[in-house]
């Protein structure tokens, strides 16, 4: 794990303050940005063993806990770009960890939706969705004792994948040793299926977890989202926010279920 030599964030000693500029508001881009680099130049997650993937996720967790202690950190994003169409500027497999002084807009909307549902119905919205998916079974790709992987009902792209812990938990970094091992096994299976079922596509994945510093977030349910790059967004998607998904999630899950897991 090393510092990013070309960061979009710069280290700081003083927490930034939002400043007005006419009708706008600006905030200095400060924080921390690190690279998690795997040793093998050729092998991405779909080619790794369970032990190797466990080491990668162990590095994520260790650095998350370290960056969480920084006083200005409000949110930590762990993400991975695989392949040029997914924004990877270097061919050597690597992930990134960003410690941000803000809660990003997408995360804020996700948290707000989860919070609203909990206040209205006293239930975790993700747990309710998982109960439905486990009952229907048609969008489930893989399941073990601790995790379930599925193609979401309202997928944004064809073959979108989401990985959830079966046990409600807002915080990725609080996994037990057993859950960590189970996550490595689940991740190995899913990325192998993605490689074999879709001919090793470019993809992005990221972990959505509760903010590093926040109030009541017990309503949230951490998860990982995987977005294969099987199509390019055009004016319709960019101009309206309406995504065209050519492969329905039920069919996508069927294809990935059948794909080899090694």
């Amino acid at each position: 794990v090393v510092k990013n030599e070309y960061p979009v964030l710069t280290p700081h000693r003083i927490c930034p303050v939002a400043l007005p500029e006419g009708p706008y508001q600006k905030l200095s881009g400060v924080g921390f940005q690190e690279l998690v680099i795997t040793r093998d130049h050729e092998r991405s997650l779909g080619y790794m063993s369970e032990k190797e993937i466990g080491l990668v996720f162990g590095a994520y967790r260790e650095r998350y806990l370290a960056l969480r202690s920084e006083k200005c950190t409000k949110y930590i994003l762990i993400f991975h770009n695989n392949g040029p169409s997914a924004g990877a500027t270097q061919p050597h497999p690597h992930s990134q960890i960003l410690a941000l002084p803000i809660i990003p807009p997408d995360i804020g909307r996700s948290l707000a939706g989860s919070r609203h549902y909990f206040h209205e119905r006293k239930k975790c919205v993700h747990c309710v969705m998982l109960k439905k998916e486990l009952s229907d079974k048609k969008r489930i790709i893989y399941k073990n004792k601790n995790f379930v992987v599925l193609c979401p009902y309202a997928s944004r792209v064809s073959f979108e994948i989401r990985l959830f812990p079966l046990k409600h938990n807002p915080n990725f970094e609080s996994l037990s040793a057993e859950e960590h091992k189970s996550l490595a096994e689940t991740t190995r299976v899913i990325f192998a299926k993605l490689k074999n079922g879709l001919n090793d596509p470019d993809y992005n994945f990221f972990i959505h977890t509760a903010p590093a510093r926040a109030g009541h977030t017990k309503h949230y349910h951490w998860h990982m989202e995987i977005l294969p790059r099987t199509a390019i967004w055009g004016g319709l998607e960019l101009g309206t926010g309406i995504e065209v998904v050519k492969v329905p999630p039920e069919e996508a899950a069927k294809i990935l279920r059948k794909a080899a897991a090694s």
Side-chain angles (χ1 to χ4, degrees):
V1 180
V2 299
K3 293 179 181 178
N4 192 321
E5 290 187 3
Y6 307 100
V8 296
L9 301 169
T10 55
H12 55 85
R13 292 184 180 276
I14 300 173
C15 297
V17 177
L19 300 173
E21 187 172 319
Y24 312 116
Q25 195 176 61
K26 64 181 180 181
L27 192 76
S28 298
V30 301
F32 299 90
Q33 188 169 353
E34 299 179 349
L35 300 180
V36 181
I37 306 171
T38 49
R39 293 183 181 274
D40 196 306
H41 181 77
E42 301 294 336
R43 293 186 305 128
S44 59
L45 289 176
Y47 296 86
M48 290 185 183
S49 68
E50 181 180 321
K51 181 179 179 180
E52 290 170 321
I53 292 174
L55 289 171
V56 173
F57 277 79
Y60 291 168
R61 182 177 181 274
E62 285 188 35
R63 293 311 303 154
Y64 186 103
L65 291 171
L67 291 168
R68 187 179 66 177
S69 66
E70 296 289 341
K71 66 177 183 177
C72 302
T73 297
K74 289 188 177 179
Y75 192 81
I76 299 172
L77 176 68
I78 300 168
F79 71 94
H80 183 101
N81 301 332
N82 183 77
S85 68
T89 56
Q90 298 293 332
H92 193 112
H94 64 280
S95 306
Q96 297 196 52
I97 304 177
L98 269 67
L100 299 157
I102 61 168
I103 296 177
D106 276 2
I107 307 298
R109 285 189 287 269
S110 180
L111 285 163
S114 174
R115 186 183 301 110
H116 177 76
Y117 192 94
F118 184 81
H119 285 167
E120 289 284 321
R121 310 193 185 192
K122 308 304 178 186
K123 295 179 181 178
C124 162
V125 63
H126 294 105
C127 290
V128 173
M129 291 164 59
L130 289 180
K131 184 177 180 180
K132 166 69 173 172
E133 295 297 341
L134 290 166
S135 174
D136 288 352
K137 298 181 180 179
K138 55 188 176 182
R139 286 178 291 273
I140 300 293
I141 303 170
Y142 179 77
K143 176 180 173 291
N144 61 19
K145 181 181 177 181
N146 295 298
F147 293 92
V148 61
V149 185
L150 53 87
C151 289
Y153 178 82
S155 296
R156 289 172 290 172
V157 299
S158 297
F159 295 97
E160 179 180 357
I161 299 168
R162 295 195 185 184
L163 180 156
F164 289 90
L166 287 167
K167 179 182 177 182
H168 179 80
N169 183 0
N171 302 102
F172 158 76
E173 73 276 16
S174 67
L175 290 175
S176 67
E178 179 192 344
E179 289 169 330
H180 181 89
K181 188 176 187 302
S182 183
L183 175 60
E185 186 252 338
T186 306
T187 307
R188 184 200 65 77
V189 169
I190 290 308
F191 280 100
K193 284 179 171 289
L194 190 61
K195 173 196 70 176
N196 297 322
L198 298 183
N199 194 27
D200 202 9
D202 293 352
Y203 58 80
N204 305 93
F205 78 74
F206 45 86
I207 295 172
H208 276 181
T209 184
R213 298 175 187 275
H216 174 64
T217 55
K218 291 183 179 180
H219 56 83
Y220 202 62
H221 197 124
W222 85 263
H223 57 280
M224 184 164 76
E225 302 186 18
I226 307 167
L227 301 168
R229 294 289 186 153
T230 59
I232 299 173
W233 281 2
L236 172 60
E237 292 85 357
L238 297 172
T240 65
I242 298 172
E243 294 89 7
V244 177
V245 178
K246 295 182 179 179
V247 182
E250 296 79 13
E251 182 63 25
K254 184 177 179 181
I255 291 169
L256 291 170
R257 275 197 304 271
K258 292 181 178 179
S262 61

